[in-house]
Amino acid sequence: MKILQVKRKTTYEKRHTVKMGELTAKVTYIKKYLFGLPIKTLHKYRETYYGEVKDCKDCMLFV
């Protein structure tokens, strides 16, 4: 078992933007793990409808 690992996981999430409203986007999280337990999220980005990759800071999580 490795002590430190970096893993990437992709999920579908409902997001809300001011211009487009609600959208379902593929969001990828890159996390750092210590002994298999997540420590912190290093980066979070999403893929748009047109295939662009954008940072998740410009849209809010729609709950």
Side-chain angles (χ1 to χ4, degrees):
M1 181 197 254
K2 295 181 182 177
I3 296 173
L4 285 174
Q5 293 179 353
V6 176
K7 292 184 183 179
R8 180 179 299 179
K9 185 176 179 183
T10 303
T11 59
Y12 285 97
E13 290 184 0
K14 289 189 177 184
R15 296 267 168 176
H16 186 273
T17 59
V18 177
K19 292 181 180 179
M20 290 182 63
E22 180 185 344
L23 66 127
T24 303
K26 218 195 285 190
V27 180
T28 303
Y29 293 94
I30 300 174
K31 291 185 180 183
K32 184 189 276 187
Y33 289 84
L34 178 69
F35 294 114
L37 299 172
I39 298 174
K40 84 182 216 189
T41 301
L42 300 175
H43 190 65
K44 180 170 62 169
Y45 60 90
R46 66 184 171 92
E47 187 176 334
T48 63
Y49 178 76
Y50 300 107
E52 283 182 61
V53 175
K54 292 187 172 183
D55 199 15
C56 280
K57 293 181 181 179
D58 60 344
C59 61
M60 301 164 280
L61 185 62
F62 186 72
V63 179

